[in-house]
Amino acid sequence: MPQIRTDTEPLLQVRDLQTHFDLDGRTVKAVDGVSFDIHRGRCLCIVGESGSGKSITARSILRLVERPGRIVGGSIVWNGGDHPVDLTALDPRSATMRTVRGNDIGMVFQEPMASLSPMYTVEQHLIEAIRTHDRPVSKADARARGLELLDRVGISRPETRMSSYPFQLSGGLCQRVMIAIALSADPALLIADEPTTALDVTTQARILRLLAGLQRERGLGMMFITHDLGVVAELADDVAVMRRGHVVESGTVDQIFHDPQHPYTRQLLDALPQRSPVPLRTTATTERASSEPLVKISGLSKRYTVHSTRLFSRKATEHNQVLSDVALELQRGEVLGLVGESGSGKTTLGRCLVGAYPPDDGSIRYYGRQGTPIEVTELDKMQRRQFQLEMRMVFQDPYSSLNPRKTIQQIIGDPLTVHGLANGSELEDRVAEMLTLVGLPRRYLRRYPHAFSGGERQRISIARALVVDPVCVVADEAVSALDMSVRAQVLELLDELKSRLDLTYLFISHDLSVIRSICDRVAVMSKGDIVELGSAEQIFDDPQHDYTKELLAAAPVPDPRQRKIIHSRKDQPA
């Protein structure tokens, strides 16, 4: 006789889950005996370093582990239907599993640009999701539902955004589209894999409020994967700490933050800036920076033209002003931080600086190694190629910027090969040296990007940017995908390389603690303009502009007893 579920049992029960990968003649136990419960109306946050097994655990639940990965043991019992179902016993391609995956459990992946097809508009993505997983619904009703979802996740002008392609949106906007798609079938459980990684602090705060509100309104269960302990403190009811495929500690959020038992948990908490503060840069630490400019930007403007693609209607054209008369100076040897909301123009400014985007108006004067100025906007193809050897960029999305058909050696070594700087054994040695510098072993040379976690792929991107010894690096969210301990290592590496190679950085980030610790000066962007510019100390301790104050107020506090984004909730009985 089939077992009937009760209202007191967990929505999802994971017991002794084991997911292994056969790689390079050895077995990697990515998930090794993991157990936890997720209850209706409660949020379980899973934290741990990159490669700890967090994302593979989530994919195992949805039966989305690709070969050579496989579930070799344990159970995943779903209690969201009329009867309990062990998902490990289902064929991943079966109708039952597709129903659970689409209707009952929603998923927000870590990298939205890799999950959204560049060939389809936001409207097409939403309508497909709604009509696939919802009861029979007309295209018009599906579109209306899509507009409602975009508005609900905080996307302004949803009517306009519906006609946009993913590559026309910022990383933060793409992530909000992914959340809207995941919520389109009103799931009972939402699995979110680093859903706020690409978001600025104000947008992150809105998303956290949204998710907390959905929990209260619908009794939504949530499994939230993140390396940001500030987010954990704001959102979690329960926490599981993972390391090397194991759950080393679990408990309520208050227990984990205020009475941790495992040394690894204490190590993560001790790495918090509030507990082990990183001093602001002082005159002693910035002796290499000078008033001599490396780059002078003046009157810079950039517009995007968006055409509607709706059928049976007149095409509409909109000119989206992304940068508006921007003036900024990057001094030789400094670290200049650039902060602002998603869509504020940060990434566009960075890509104009490296010559990837041509501006519509304005000037970018680059003074180079010898101090001889060149106008970046007037370079021909050959000149731009040489310029981009000196001005490198680490992109925001490590997955879409790495060629999946190339090995890590080929990816990192490409700039050396293209510019004729190394080949043969010298090339391999230089690539291996860069891997070591960013904390990855030499044996990874022959692997492909899909074999790495998001944090590991970001380190590969950093290695590729630095392998040609550039003059300046534009780092666009270069550490956003990294857990706290690895992030600290990468920041130390960037600072070490800055000293060794006399580098200059434009550091784009939504993480204010990173900006505060690494930057000499900070520029705050809003709606395509620089609204405030000053030393890191002045911006953080004495902000003048209302928008800067809003950003600082929205940053999460890594203490569940001091929640400010989401008001504290009473613990619900498990």
Side-chain angles (χ1 to χ4, degrees):
M1 185 175 180
Q3 181 183 358
I4 306 297
R5 72 165 178 81
T6 66
D7 290 334
T8 57
E9 64 191 357
L11 186 62
L12 186 78
Q13 295 173 293
V14 177
R15 293 291 180 270
D16 195 31
L17 179 65
Q18 301 165 57
T19 304
H20 296 175
F21 287 77
D22 296 321
L23 297 171
D24 300 335
R26 64 192 183 95
T27 298
V28 176
K29 298 180 179 180
V31 180
D32 191 16
V34 164
S35 300
F36 56 79
D37 293 337
I38 301 177
H39 292 264
R40 292 172 178 81
R42 291 181 73 85
C43 174
L44 170 70
C45 278
I46 298 186
V47 298
E49 293 182 319
S50 298
S52 64
K54 307 186 301 295
S55 295
I56 296 300
T57 299
R59 286 182 171 271
S60 297
I61 292 171
L62 289 171
R63 303 303 310 279
L64 292 176
V65 177
E66 298 178 356
R67 292 181 182 276
R70 55 197 171 90
I71 296 175
V72 300
S75 64
I76 304 168
V77 178
W78 172 246
N79 292 308
D82 294 331
H83 308 287
V85 178
D86 185 352
L87 303 184
T88 64
L90 298 178
D91 184 329
R93 294 165 292 185
S94 67
T96 302
M97 191 63 232
R98 288 200 304 269
T99 298
V100 171
R101 191 185 296 131
N103 291 356
D104 298 331
I105 304 177
M107 177 75 186
V108 181
F109 292 98
Q110 181 176 357
E111 292 149 342
M113 294 301 289
S115 303
L116 297 173
S117 170
M119 303 298 293
Y120 295 98
T121 64
V122 170
E123 178 176 349
Q124 290 169 319
H125 279 99
L126 280 166
I127 288 178
E128 180 183 9
I130 293 167
R131 299 186 78 185
T132 298
H133 300 299
D134 206 348
R135 54 187 177 275
V137 60
S138 69
K139 188 173 181 179
D141 288 343
R143 187 175 191 277
R145 169 72 170 153
L147 287 169
E148 176 190 337
L149 286 165
L150 291 185
D151 180 69
R152 188 158 197 180
V153 298
I155 293 181
S156 62
R157 298 179 297 144
E159 182 76 34
T160 299
R161 298 299 187 188
M162 287 283 267
S163 63
S164 299
Y165 289 88
F167 61 83
Q168 295 173 316
L169 304 177
S170 68
L173 287 175
C174 284
Q175 192 63 286
R176 280 180 276 176
V177 170
M178 281 298 304
I179 293 172
I181 292 171
L183 296 175
S184 63
D186 292 326
L189 172 65
L190 181 68
I191 298 178
D193 188 356
E194 300 279 6
T196 59
T197 292
L199 305 183
D200 58 84
V201 290
T202 53
T203 304
Q204 174 180 266
R206 288 196 291 268
I207 293 298
L208 294 181
R209 290 191 194 102
L210 166 68
L211 295 175
L214 289 169
Q215 283 186 267
R216 290 192 297 268
E217 294 167 15
R218 305 182 187 181
L220 180 72
M222 186 154 55
M223 174 177 163
F224 197 102
I225 297 170
T226 182
H227 62 265
D228 189 330
L229 291 175
V231 170
V232 174
E234 287 285 354
L235 190 62
D237 297 298
D238 308 296
V239 180
V241 182
M242 286 193 69
R243 188 185 192 198
R244 298 174 183 171
H246 301 277
V247 173
V248 297
E249 185 168 2
S250 61
T252 67
V253 64
D254 194 78
Q255 290 169 347
I256 294 298
F257 275 81
H258 291 284
D259 189 24
Q261 300 300 305
H262 197 277
Y264 177 67
T265 308
R266 292 194 290 268
Q267 176 186 331
L268 290 179
L269 292 170
D270 288 343
L272 288 167
Q274 288 81 355
R275 301 194 181 196
S276 180
V278 179
L280 284 171
R281 288 177 172 269
T282 64
T283 304
T285 62
T286 57
E287 289 175 351
R288 294 180 302 278
S290 70
S291 58
E292 180 185 354
L294 180 67
V295 180
K296 280 186 178 180
I297 298 172
S298 59
L300 199 69
S301 296
K302 179 66 179 177
R303 295 177 293 277
Y304 294 126
T305 301
V306 180
H307 300 286
S308 171
T309 58
R310 293 182 61 191
L311 296 175
F312 310 114
S313 65
R314 181 178 300 173
K315 287 189 176 181
T317 300
E318 179 179 347
H319 299 286
N320 186 14
Q321 189 79 33
V322 182
L323 299 177
S324 180
D325 198 27
V326 172
L328 189 64
E329 190 171 296
L330 182 60
Q331 296 171 0
R332 192 181 298 272
E334 77 167 337
V335 182
L336 175 63
L338 191 60
V339 298
E341 290 183 309
S342 298
S344 63
K346 307 186 304 296
T347 293
T348 298
L349 178 58
R351 294 194 177 194
C352 286
L353 176 57
V354 300
Y357 287 176
D360 295 305
D361 299 294
S363 169
I364 303 174
R365 301 284 283 177
Y366 172 68
Y367 291 82
R369 293 188 190 276
Q370 308 304 322
T372 304
I374 61 172
E375 178 55 52
V376 176
T377 62
E378 297 175 357
L379 297 178
D380 60 29
K381 185 176 180 180
M382 291 299 296
Q383 290 171 329
R384 184 176 293 109
R385 181 177 170 182
Q386 181 60 36
F387 164 74
Q388 290 176 338
L389 192 63
E390 297 189 16
M391 182 76 69
R392 303 290 290 168
M393 189 164 192
V394 179
F395 293 97
Q396 179 175 353
D397 186 345
Y399 190 88
S400 62
S401 64
L402 301 180
N403 189 329
R405 293 186 174 89
K406 290 188 175 184
T407 65
I408 300 311
Q409 177 173 327
Q410 292 171 322
I411 288 170
I412 298 176
D414 266 352
L416 297 173
T417 302
V418 168
H419 293 279
L421 299 177
N423 55 48
S425 60
E426 181 188 0
L427 175 67
E428 181 172 337
D429 288 343
R430 288 182 64 173
V431 172
E433 180 185 2
M434 285 309 306
L435 272 183
T436 302
L437 281 174
V438 298
L440 297 174
R442 185 177 185 133
R443 68 175 183 271
Y444 287 178
L445 286 175
R446 304 293 189 269
R447 294 186 183 179
Y448 291 84
H450 72 267
F452 298 93
S453 68
E456 289 169 330
R457 285 195 289 263
Q458 192 65 291
R459 282 181 272 173
I460 292 166
S461 297
I462 293 170
R464 179 180 58 183
L466 298 178
V467 74
V468 292
D469 295 335
V471 174
C472 182
V473 173
V474 176
D476 188 359
E477 302 287 2
V479 297
S480 64
L482 306 182
D483 59 80
M484 199 155 292
S485 58
V486 176
R487 181 183 70 181
Q489 294 168 12
V490 171
L491 291 176
E492 289 176 6
L493 166 67
L494 292 174
D495 191 55
E496 176 189 341
L497 292 173
K498 177 181 182 298
S499 302
R500 185 190 305 176
L501 304 175
D502 196 22
L503 289 170
T504 302
Y505 292 129
L506 177 64
F507 208 92
I508 302 170
S509 180
H510 65 264
D511 191 323
L512 297 179
S513 66
V514 169
I515 292 292
R516 183 181 179 95
S517 65
I518 198 172
C519 295
D520 304 305
R521 293 190 302 145
V522 179
V524 182
M525 286 197 76
S526 176
K527 299 177 181 178
D529 295 317
I530 303 292
V531 298
E532 187 164 3
L533 175 66
S535 68
E537 184 175 13
Q538 180 263 304
I539 293 294
F540 283 92
D541 294 342
D542 188 25
Q544 300 299 306
H545 198 278
D546 288 342
Y547 178 70
T548 308
K549 296 175 184 177
E550 180 185 348
L551 285 180
L552 296 175
V557 176
D559 185 345
R561 297 177 182 177
Q562 299 182 40
R563 287 180 172 173
K564 62 179 182 177
I565 297 175
I566 301 168
H567 295 302
S568 296
R569 313 188 286 268
K570 280 189 176 181
D571 281 348
Q572 304 168 12

